[in-house]
Amino acid sequence: MVQCPRGTRDFLPDQLEKRRAYEGTLRSVARRFGFREIQTPIFEDAELFILRSGPNVLKELYAFKDKGDRDLALRPEMTAAVVRAFVNGMSNDPKPIKVFYFGQCFRYERPQAGRYREFFQFGAEIMGAATPETDAEAIAMAAFMIKSLGLKNYKMRIGHIGVLRQRIADIGVPKERTAEVLQKLDKKLYDEARPILKDMGVKDEDMDALFQLTETVGGTEVLSMVPGEAGDYLREVVDYLSRMGVNDVEIDLGVVRGLDYYTGMVFEAEAPVLGAEKQICGGGSYTLSELFGGEKVFSTGFAVGFDRILLAMEKEGIVYEREGIDAYVVAVSDEVRKDSFGIVAKLREAGVSADIDIMGRKLGKAMKSASTVCARYAVIVGAGELSRNAVTLRDMKSGEQCEVPIAELADRIRN
Ligand code: HAM
């Protein structure tokens, strides 16, 4: 049997209905925050990602040549593409530009629970200014999204990559090797970072101070330990957040992020229930537009790992109730079978979701089908009622039924 490729999944109707419903929840939050949707291609010139995505993403890239010998790649994330679209077509629009997106991304990773080669992100970007308000707005929306889906147990950590970058530069790490060091700090692999830093001539005490910085975790009180203006900046972000009712955040200078483009505030949300692959959302502030030929524009964004947050919800016991349909039309006998098609057509025209047996089933089996498709009502069409221009309407939950004139049927079902 041919299977779908490793790390990809089919979404059968039961799952897809649930996914669409939750996607709808996120969409409605984004609109409530004043964001508008954007869509970009699933593949791009490979260069777009090579320019500034960092070593992690590059080794995971699905890159290929097309028949015209162009170097292309499936998108591993969407921020770079959104910024490219901004440079190409939105750079003169009034700022700030607030966009959101939903779609699949591709990374050649080792698949495991919560980690796929094709996965979905729901993300947002704000392009305009490097202000604490911008960062707070992005974090607040991410928190609102997680809450709207009903997830209870999660942790939001806010850091500042600028502080780490500055410290790394100060202790003598060459600029082109910063990403290498950050990659180790991201995973807290201090033992692996040591020989690399030593090789660059970094002193032991400077290394220790750097590692200690990434262990700075706590409430706003730890911001006094944050050097330079970054501490004041993060204090402002947290202040705005608390005024927006987002208080359950933690300062953590160990938030490094796997992507290379961040410059300032960075944040992540995790759901501990997921174990190893617990990061459900990540983002931060960056500038990318100047790399793609545009003017430098400060931006902040984030992406929710849609598959992961759904897994976390499932593990927390959040159950999705299948929506079902309004009505299922059942013919009592073959004699009225064709008339019942006239009735289902009228219901559909009136905006009622309605289905009908097309398998030539007898009454009992057709009623079972009505349950299978989770119909709220069965519309039972019999010769006697039909002669009075009526049908029997049966509430599938209570079992109550009554005769209803066909002319009133759609209204009765809708109300
Ligand atoms: P990221 O942290 O690489 O950030 O990905 C965002 C989220 O996508 C992760 O937190 C995780 O939940 C999910 N994710 C990543 N890889 C996989 C995978 N293989 N399988 C399942 N889920 C995965 C970004 O992509 C940035 N573009 C976010 C951003 C937007 N920053 C600024 N704007």
Side-chain angles (χ1 to χ4, degrees):
M1 222 193 296
V2 181
Q3 306 281 356
C4 63
R6 189 164 143 78
T8 69
R9 294 150 297 161
D10 295 317
F11 299 107
L12 306 182
D14 272 349
Q15 270 168 312
L16 193 59
E17 182 181 313
K18 173 169 124 175
R19 290 173 68 93
R20 289 284 186 232
Y22 293 141
E23 178 196 329
T25 304
L26 297 184
R27 245 171 229 288
S28 102
V29 172
R31 283 201 211 98
R32 244 188 280 176
F33 273 72
F35 286 70
R36 296 174 71 207
E37 190 168 5
I38 185 168
Q39 203 169 52
T40 60
I42 281 184
F43 60 85
E44 296 271 352
D45 283 337
E47 192 195 358
L48 182 75
F49 307 115
I50 291 165
L51 275 175
R52 193 66 190 275
S53 283
N56 281 349
V57 162
L58 285 189
K59 65 175 191 288
E60 294 161 357
L61 209 57
Y62 271 93
F64 56 97
K65 271 197 194 294
D66 74 357
K67 293 191 174 75
D69 211 31
R70 294 175 196 90
D71 287 308
L72 301 173
L74 299 181
R75 60 184 183 203
E77 57 110 29
M78 303 216 236
T79 305
V82 168
V83 175
R84 179 199 48 68
F86 161 77
V87 170
N88 293 160
M90 288 188 290
S91 54
N92 293 325
D93 290 0
K95 310 245 177 354
I97 290 165
K98 297 167 82 176
V99 290
F100 75 89
Y101 47 81
F102 176 74
Q104 55 265 77
C105 300
F106 305 84
R107 295 184 192 177
Y108 192 80
E109 299 193 90
R110 197 169 49 79
Q112 62 188 78
R115 200 204 283 168
Y116 312 96
R117 288 183 174 171
E118 182 194 41
F119 62 98
F120 289 72
Q121 283 189 350
F122 196 108
E125 312 293 340
I126 308 174
M127 283 160 265
T131 61
E133 291 93 315
T134 307
D135 289 351
E137 182 86 333
I139 299 170
M141 184 159 90
F144 203 107
M145 284 182 164
I146 298 170
K147 284 206 177 81
S148 300
L149 291 175
L151 193 73
K152 299 248 161 11
N153 293 306
Y154 70 92
K155 203 158 90 177
M156 188 81 99
R157 296 149 57 231
I158 305 177
H160 198 295
I161 197 75
V163 172
L164 286 183
R165 283 188 191 282
Q166 187 60 50
R167 178 63 62 90
I168 288 170
D170 289 348
I171 61 176
V173 173
K175 205 164 183 222
E176 66 281 5
R177 295 193 70 181
T178 305
E180 200 182 328
V181 176
L182 283 174
Q183 212 187 332
K184 298 295 176 202
L185 296 183
D186 182 25
K187 306 221 157 67
K188 304 234 188 287
L189 298 172
Y190 303 130
D191 288 343
E192 292 184 24
R194 261 180 208 288
I196 296 174
L197 289 163
K198 209 166 192 74
D199 179 51
M200 297 171 193
V202 176
K203 291 199 242 80
D204 279 343
E205 62 259 37
D206 286 343
M207 275 183 222
D208 291 337
L210 174 66
F211 299 157
Q212 209 179 339
L213 193 60
T214 67
E215 295 290 338
T216 309
V217 179
T220 41
E221 74 283 353
V222 303
L223 289 175
S224 58
M225 289 180 259
V226 178
E229 287 165 11
D232 292 335
Y233 185 90
L234 285 185
R235 198 171 288 112
E236 282 287 288
V237 173
V238 172
D239 193 13
Y240 276 109
L241 282 172
S242 98
R243 281 157 203 266
M244 288 195 273
V246 183
N247 293 303
D248 47 356
V249 294
E250 189 178 87
I251 302 295
D252 183 348
L253 289 189
V255 178
V256 174
R257 310 279 302 122
L259 297 156
D260 228 13
Y261 45 67
Y262 299 104
T263 49
M265 182 281 297
V266 280
F267 74 104
E268 285 177 356
E270 57 188 45
V273 70
L274 291 180
E277 300 301 321
K278 62 184 175 194
Q279 199 196 112
I280 51 171
C281 169
S285 63
Y286 60 90
T287 70
L288 272 175
S289 46
E290 72 279 16
L291 283 178
F292 307 148
E295 61 182 87
K296 186 168 177 163
V297 175
F298 290 96
S299 314
T300 302
F302 69 90
V304 170
F306 189 67
D307 310 273
R308 276 191 202 168
I309 201 162
L310 263 53
L311 270 181
M313 289 158 66
E314 217 169 83
K315 292 213 161 155
E316 265 193 13
I318 297 172
V319 178
Y320 172 76
E321 295 281 345
R322 183 173 163 184
E323 217 173 72
I325 57 169
D326 297 325
Y328 194 89
V329 180
V330 172
V332 169
S333 61
D334 287 339
E335 191 193 345
V336 294
R337 197 171 284 280
K338 285 190 173 153
D339 296 301
S340 61
F341 276 81
I343 291 166
V344 79
K346 278 207 186 83
L347 287 177
R348 288 167 175 169
E349 212 158 292
V352 172
S353 58
D355 203 355
I356 189 165
D357 171 53
I358 50 170
M359 305 285 284
R361 293 199 166 110
K362 299 265 178 282
L363 179 61
K365 288 229 167 115
M367 286 301 287
K368 268 208 185 112
S369 302
S371 302
T372 307
V373 299
C374 299
R376 284 193 299 127
Y377 290 99
V379 174
I380 303 165
V381 184
E385 292 94 327
L386 213 50
S387 69
R388 295 188 289 277
N389 272 326
V391 291
T392 297
L393 186 63
R394 181 188 173 95
D395 184 313
M396 292 293 288
K397 221 182 220 155
S398 67
E400 279 170 36
Q401 58 183 54
C402 59
E403 194 170 307
V404 175
I406 291 172
E408 292 169 23
L409 186 61
D411 279 345
R412 284 286 286 276
I413 291 172
R414 266 198 309 246
N415 303 324

